[in-house]
Amino acid sequence: MRLRIGAVSKADMLEARRCLPGAFCRPLAQRLLSWLCWTGLAALVLFCAVRFDMSPLRLWSGLSELGTLTRVMFPPASGGNMDLFLAGILETLAMAFLGTLIGGAIAFPLSFLAAKNILPAWLFHFGVRRVFDVLRGVDVMIWALIFVVAIGLGPLAGILAIAISDAGTLAKLFSEAIENIDRKQTEGVRSTGANAVKVMRFGVIPQVLPVMLSFTLYMFESNTRSATILGIVGAGGIGLLLADRIRANVWDQACLIIILILVTVYFIDFVSKRLRERLIGQGK
Amino acid sequence: MLRLTGVSKQFDNVVAVDNVSLEIPTGQMVGIIGRSGAGKSTLLRLVNRLVDPTAGSINFNGAEIATIKGRVLNQWRAKCAMVFQQFNLVPRLDVITNVLIGRMFYRSTLQAVFQLFTPEERTLAVMALQRLDMIKHGLQRADTLSGGQQQRVAIARALTQEPEILLADEPIASLDPRNATVVMGALRAINREDGITVICNLHTVDTARAYCDRIVGMVSGRIAFDGPPTALTGDVIRTVYGVDGEDEEFDINVTSTAIGIGSRGTAQ
């Protein structure tokens, strides 16, 4: 009676095919559809490659050019500007930090308004969500360009750019976190006779707060990276110094700045990852 | 014959399984009872080597199991199939694919990645589903099934592994009495008809009594009782479940979920 692969007979196989044909082969329509999808994807990739002239020859000559650049980059040198570079790094970090903090502070209250399970008025949260989309849909670089024109060169433009675009991203992430909460906890609190705000305080906040803080830290991590480029459009920080060096063909100093950026980003990633792990792991 | 000698497992400061020695002859149906945290789950996981023992020897038909690794370990896992309290199926895959996962050890990694199973294996999976009376749900996604149905799929997956031993970790703890009876009946049939050794963690005494040839009671990681169901007296049950003295007098019928046996008890 024991099931044995060696004991499976021809008759068993016929019987199994009769009982559950789907176990052996997917229906024709399904197979055709998956073939169609794969062929379509391949055709699209091929079309784009041809359209953008992605010939191996061009890639190859580009690579050799990169080789020359790498050679003039080494050894990296400060040219006596080390203090300036470090100040630039700190400015970039400060921009990322303040921008993320302000963005998170704006996103926190808004996210509750956008969560379907908190505010069951669809027209309202539909509206709030479209506002997020505008904030988020415009890239942080474009916000930076706008703010540079509006309030002038310098870190303040960068901080505002990060804050605005983060407010949109974080509000969306926060509201999704609120929508994905475990309903058992809120039900438990509601069953004791708590009103909506009390349910929010004890049934929702304890579950979503660690998630929100973790998202915010991740955004800080990511903003440290993107804040380095903001300088290129004039929004302060290390990016401005880097862009100057590249324009003036001072590649050894540019290389040092890139190394400093890498070290900083690595350090922030490391610290933020540790903090996030502790936040998520809480109470386990 | 499965032989455990002086097996221990320590997690940080907690000794989950403490110097357990046990001999289980081929074809026996063993029920392990004990309070939550007594080490029942860890004991089963040790046998399947989902956790590694900190001390002791696990021996199956003369082969040492406690120290094997790599492919030999995977072969052992295929040979001692496991069924879990929460079923541990892949919810987004259909039932037949979940059952075919039981063939993982017998397929090369490349074949497994591309889901290449032989017609014989597909037939085996269909036969396993037929045996558990789940063939009509064969193409449904696993997460559309009820708990009892999912557990039957999990047992079908275990059977396609062609196991020598079936480990069941609280297989009916999440099921209603009717489904619990169906699942325990299936385990019993696999044991009786196929001669597969079944080791089953249970949290109700009557279920263990009704289905098992032999009952092992665990207290704080040690074996406190080992004998046939007839030897399981009220005093023994009190030792297994109330050893701290913190529990006042309790009625085993209150915790019973088995149909027909001890269903008089109602909670408070």
Side-chain angles (χ1 to χ4, degrees):
Chain A
M1 223 5 228
R2 215 190 262 209
L3 288 175
R4 287 263 174 239
I5 194 83
V8 172
S9 67
K10 279 270 181 289
D12 289 336
M13 285 166 67
L14 282 175
E15 169 69 9
R17 266 182 200 280
R18 195 188 56 76
C19 276
L20 196 68
F24 293 85
C25 161
R26 285 179 304 156
L28 186 69
Q30 236 179 60
R31 271 180 297 158
L32 272 179
L33 189 70
S34 88
W35 269 109
L36 215 66
C37 285
W38 283 109
T39 341
L41 188 70
L44 188 66
V45 169
L46 204 69
F47 171 77
C48 292
V50 171
R51 188 76 185 69
F52 297 135
D53 193 18
M54 275 173 57
S55 66
L57 199 70
R58 267 189 73 188
L59 289 176
W60 183 247
S61 66
L63 273 180
S64 68
E65 194 65 30
L66 270 181
T68 331
L69 271 183
T70 321
R71 240 172 294 133
V72 293
M73 276 181 154
F74 284 92
S78 69
N81 293 325
M82 198 59 181
D83 291 351
L84 188 68
F85 294 169
L86 288 178
I89 290 276
L90 282 181
E91 196 174 279
T92 299
L93 273 181
M95 277 162 57
F97 177 73
L98 274 178
T100 317
L101 202 68
I102 297 171
I106 299 173
F108 182 74
L110 285 181
S111 63
F112 284 87
L113 300 181
K116 287 187 190 124
N117 52 345
I118 301 294
L119 210 79
W122 80 266
L123 200 66
F124 188 78
H125 53 70
F126 180 82
V128 177
R129 274 172 185 232
R130 296 296 78 78
V131 174
F132 297 166
D133 287 350
V134 171
L135 300 183
R136 214 160 37 86
V138 178
D139 191 80
V140 64
M141 278 290 264
I142 298 169
W143 282 118
L145 280 167
I146 293 171
F147 283 117
V148 164
V149 173
I151 57 173
L153 292 170
L156 185 62
I159 292 170
L160 287 177
I162 291 175
I164 291 291
S165 109
D166 268 24
T169 312
L170 284 175
K172 183 181 159 68
L173 289 172
F174 287 1
S175 64
E176 274 166 17
I178 296 170
E179 281 173 4
N180 288 331
I181 53 167
D182 178 6
R183 287 201 43 231
K184 281 179 273 184
Q185 304 179 29
T186 47
E187 205 169 53
V189 179
R190 186 172 299 122
S191 74
T192 66
N195 66 19
V197 177
K198 293 172 189 164
V199 169
M200 202 98 83
R201 172 64 187 83
F202 288 100
V204 180
I205 299 272
Q207 332 186 27
V208 294
L209 205 58
V211 182
M212 286 178 169
L213 285 174
S214 161
F215 279 144
T216 313
L217 272 171
Y218 179 77
M219 284 311 285
F220 173 54
E221 228 176 284
S222 147
N223 283 333
T224 316
R225 290 186 294 259
S226 49
T228 55
I229 0 169
L230 287 182
I232 296 174
V233 299
I238 190 75
L240 190 61
L241 302 173
L242 178 62
D244 283 350
R245 300 300 178 286
I246 290 176
R247 272 186 217 115
N249 273 319
V250 192
W251 288 100
D252 52 352
Q253 291 190 24
C255 180
L256 182 69
I257 293 179
I258 291 172
I259 291 171
L260 284 176
I261 291 175
L262 281 178
V263 172
T264 313
V265 166
Y266 178 77
F267 174 73
I268 295 295
D269 280 8
F270 177 77
V271 173
S272 152
K273 181 165 168 274
R274 279 296 170 84
L275 282 173
R276 279 189 288 126
E277 275 167 5
R278 288 195 59 173
L279 282 171
I280 296 289
Q282 260 172 3
K284 267 193 185 162
Chain B
M1 166 89 82
L2 177 73
R3 183 185 287 121
L4 277 66
T5 320
V7 173
S8 295
K9 174 65 190 179
Q10 185 162 4
F11 295 105
D12 296 327
N13 300 318
V14 187
V15 182
V17 170
D18 189 4
N19 197 17
V20 163
S21 296
L22 204 58
E23 270 187 23
I24 298 173
T26 301
Q28 203 166 47
M29 179 139 178
V30 183
I32 303 178
I33 58 171
R35 290 162 50 145
S36 305
K40 307 186 298 273
S41 263
T42 309
L43 189 67
L44 286 199
R45 277 158 202 275
L46 281 166
V47 173
N48 187 275
R49 287 285 312 278
L50 284 173
V51 292
D52 295 332
T54 26
S57 145
I58 304 167
N59 191 293
F60 181 72
N61 291 345
E64 180 57 39
I65 301 302
T67 50
I68 51 174
K69 23 181 193 267
R71 194 174 157 76
V72 190
L73 173 58
N74 288 336
Q75 181 174 27
W76 165 246
R77 287 188 177 144
K79 218 190 274 185
C80 78
M82 193 142 178
V83 174
F84 301 84
Q85 176 178 351
Q86 291 301 328
F87 329 123
N88 296 19
L89 299 176
V90 184
R92 297 182 59 87
L93 294 179
D94 58 15
V95 164
I96 188 78
T97 311
N98 266 294
V99 176
L100 281 166
I101 288 175
R103 299 304 297 173
M104 248 356 39
F105 173 72
Y106 305 95
R107 297 284 89 203
S108 75
T109 308
L110 206 65
Q111 286 168 326
V113 167
F114 291 100
Q115 293 196 28
L116 298 175
F117 298 100
T118 64
E120 286 81 3
E121 287 178 317
R122 290 177 187 277
T123 307
L124 196 73
V126 169
M127 287 163 79
L129 282 176
Q130 271 169 333
R131 185 157 177 199
L132 274 299
D133 197 21
M134 283 298 295
I135 195 74
K136 56 185 171 296
H137 302 289
L139 301 179
Q140 252 170 273
R141 255 170 62 155
D143 52 8
T144 61
L145 302 178
S146 73
Q149 291 171 328
Q150 289 195 42
Q151 194 60 294
R152 281 189 273 161
V153 173
I155 295 174
R157 175 177 74 185
L159 287 182
T160 54
Q161 290 176 226
E162 303 182 57
E164 305 281 337
I165 299 179
L166 183 67
L167 307 169
D169 188 8
E170 303 270 8
I172 56 168
S174 311
L175 303 181
D176 65 63
R178 173 163 297 282
N179 277 311
T181 316
V182 170
V183 165
M184 285 312 294
L187 291 178
R188 181 71 175 164
I190 288 161
N191 171 257
R192 280 291 181 267
E193 293 162 17
D194 300 11
I196 294 175
T197 309
V198 174
I199 309 173
C200 190
N201 284 348
L202 292 166
H203 71 179
T204 51
V205 177
D206 334 306
T207 317
R209 227 185 227 141
Y211 289 97
C212 301
D213 308 321
R214 172 180 172 191
I215 294 174
V216 172
M218 284 184 79
V219 176
S220 335
R222 294 163 186 267
I223 291 180
F225 169 81
D226 185 355
T230 46
L232 196 67
T233 59
D235 281 346
V236 173
I237 293 171
R238 256 170 274 281
T239 323
V240 170
Y241 283 97
V243 73
D244 293 351
E246 65 182 40
D247 291 355
E248 288 148 41
E249 196 63 19
F250 65 94
D251 179 2
I252 33 167
N253 292 328
V254 171
T255 65
S256 167
T257 55
I259 282 183
I261 321 153
S263 52
R264 295 148 306 198
T266 42
Q268 270 94 63

